[in-house]
Amino acid sequence: MPSIVKDMSLAGVGRKQVEWALSFMPVFQVLYDEYGGSGKLSGVRVAACLHVTKETGVFIRLLHEMGAEVSLAASNPLSTQDSVAAYLANEGVNVYAWRGESDVEYFEMLNNALDINPHIVIDDGGDLHALIHSKRSDVVPGIIGGTEETTTGVIRLKAMEKKGVLRYPVIAVNDTPTKRLFDNKYGTGQSALDGLMRATSILIAGKRVVVAGYGYVGKGVAIRARGLGAKVIVTEVDPVKAIEAHLDGFEVMKMDDAVELGDIFITCTGMKNVIGKRHLERLRDGAILANAGHFNVEIDVDSLKRMAISVRRVRDYVDEYRFPDGRRVYLVGEGRLVNLVAGEGHPPDIMMNSFANQFFSLLYLLDNEGRLENKVYNVPSEVDERVARYTLRGWNIEIDELTPEQREYKESWLL
Ligand code: ADE
């Protein structure tokens, strides 16, 4: 099926965006040199559900240049950069994505991407894998394996594996150190605040910023908010992470208490209704709510809509909800991923690591066709180390090596 994008005349802008991203992704410059025209993927069909950004453009164009037939749908109805979608479509990728898809259109586009009958399924959030396992099992026989980019998606896939319903091997790209440590923490840390600042244009210094969740994403957001001068409060349900946040110098308290203090709230948990009805009832006038987790479930937007006597869009990506008692609450990006809705997502330098892991995981799946079980696998450790070494080289950072004597010392156990 031909591509469906917003406006093909944006392709030239998209090309510049992708070229700009590539210039900050030295590992991909090497991969383009090594693999670009190799034909190594000719005959391979890849269906991808990713945020359609300039960084994704760098990754997907490489697969295309290696001879793969690629279809691409968005992994969020509001995250697509239309210029990049147009550029990739112009290059010959089958793109089904535009910014502002309805929920129905979003799933229609995932379906379109599957019509390619993929050998490899690349997903971000697990919707494409879930669709295959529910309504599109017709494509299962052709699938060699899949990959998954996010924490949320890996949790869903592990639940499928546990229930014995997973029908092909999947590599949990999210869980490997060179993805999770950099993308989830430093990527979201910068891009969530960038999205929030682009959307609101307000000062962060001096504000009380409540960060819900202290996993890798929450940590990144908390340290960057502090770096901008915010007084950061962390809420958690995990006692160990709560102690970590406390020892990292953040104030830790229940959301029930934080709601009365916070100027800005950023949810980073993956859990639903983290800011629920009972919290909304007690927010301060002018509170700003944003979500950095994958799905738009963390802020109870339905309750917000029911409780409000009026709603109006006050800026691009900012809606004002007014309550009967006169309080106003500002919701950024409709409660969807603030970094991709109101910003451009993680910087290219970060996505370089994430997508290099995707790339090598894809090659690993093809090289091991028929040898893997229907399980969720970690990225092979040699891939993680390879990505780290490529990155260090790309950033001109040299590190030490153990001497033979030190290596022997490390392996000895005698006193
Ligand atoms: N997820 C977060 N940031 C992203 C980006 N820039 N491109 C693709 N996926 C992302």
Side-chain angles (χ1 to χ4, degrees), residues 51 53 55-56 124 149 183 339-340 344-347 351 355:
H51 299 294
T53 63
E55 294 75 22
T56 296
D124 182 321
E149 173 81 5
D183 174 313
N339 57 342
L340 283 140
E344 291 176 65
H346 301 348
M351 292 314 293
F355 285 147

Side-chain angles (χ1 to χ4, degrees), residues 157-209:
L157 286 157
K158 286 195 171 155
M160 289 157 79
E161 179 188 347
K162 206 166 160 198
K163 290 209 168 102
V165 297
L166 188 63
R167 300 195 55 191
Y168 46 83
V170 181
I171 299 189
V173 169
N174 176 74
D175 292 359
T176 205
T178 50
K179 192 279 179 184
R180 190 180 50 189
L181 290 179
F182 310 146
D183 174 313
N184 300 18
K185 185 175 176 186
Y186 301 102
T188 319
Q190 175 165 323
S191 64
L193 281 150
D194 174 43
L196 180 79
M197 290 190 291
R198 290 193 203 197
T200 63
S201 180
I202 64 164
L203 182 70
I204 304 295
K207 298 279 191 309
R208 273 188 213 277
V209 174

Side-chain angles (χ1 to χ4, degrees), residues 127-340:
D127 281 347
L128 196 59
H129 293 308
L131 181 64
I132 293 169
H133 285 77
S134 52
K135 301 192 179 108
R136 288 302 304 270
S137 55
D138 57 296
V139 299
V140 169
I143 295 176
I144 294 169
T147 63
E148 173 52 51
E149 173 81 5
T150 63
T151 313
T152 299
V154 170
I155 290 171
R156 292 172 87 184
L157 286 157
K158 286 195 171 155
M160 289 157 79
E161 179 188 347
K162 206 166 160 198
K163 290 209 168 102
V165 297
L166 188 63
R167 300 195 55 191
Y168 46 83
V170 181
I171 299 189
V173 169
N174 176 74
D175 292 359
T176 205
T178 50
K179 192 279 179 184
R180 190 180 50 189
L181 290 179
F182 310 146
D183 174 313
N184 300 18
K185 185 175 176 186
Y186 301 102
T188 319
Q190 175 165 323
S191 64
L193 281 150
D194 174 43
L196 180 79
M197 290 190 291
R198 290 193 203 197
T200 63
S201 180
I202 64 164
L203 182 70
I204 304 295
K207 298 279 191 309
R208 273 188 213 277
V209 174
V210 178
V211 178
Y214 203 65
Y216 286 98
V217 169
K219 278 192 187 92
V221 172
I223 58 174
R224 289 297 176 253
R226 176 160 65 189
L228 286 162
K231 293 175 247 172
V232 178
I233 296 169
V234 170
T235 69
E236 245 306 337
V237 291
D238 179 320
V240 177
K241 289 183 182 150
I243 292 173
E244 201 182 357
H246 172 73
L247 295 182
D248 283 345
F250 297 109
E251 236 186 300
V252 180
M253 64 180 76
K254 288 178 153 197
M255 184 59 87
D256 280 318
D257 298 322
V259 276
E260 295 193 340
L261 301 173
D263 300 303
I264 298 170
F265 294 75
I266 308 176
T267 53
C268 310
T269 68
M271 187 43 63
K272 67 189 279 200
N273 294 343
V274 176
I275 300 182
K277 183 166 178 295
R278 74 169 198 272
H279 304 119
L280 296 170
E281 279 162 357
R282 294 171 42 236
L283 287 169
R284 293 163 54 145
D285 179 35
I288 293 172
L289 308 181
N291 167 48
H294 185 81
F295 285 118
N296 56 335
V297 295
E298 306 205 17
I299 301 166
D300 182 357
V301 179
D302 288 341
S303 289
L304 194 53
K305 285 181 183 157
R306 272 196 300 273
M307 289 161 65
I309 51 168
S310 69
V311 184
R312 62 185 183 119
R313 179 141 296 185
V314 287
R315 292 170 61 83
D316 285 350
Y317 307 119
V318 183
D319 294 322
E320 178 196 82
Y321 289 77
R322 193 179 278 272
F323 294 145
D325 60 8
R327 282 177 308 130
R328 291 153 305 167
V329 166
Y330 298 109
L331 179 66
V332 182
E334 302 175 21
R336 296 187 191 272
L337 283 160
V338 64
N339 57 342
L340 283 140

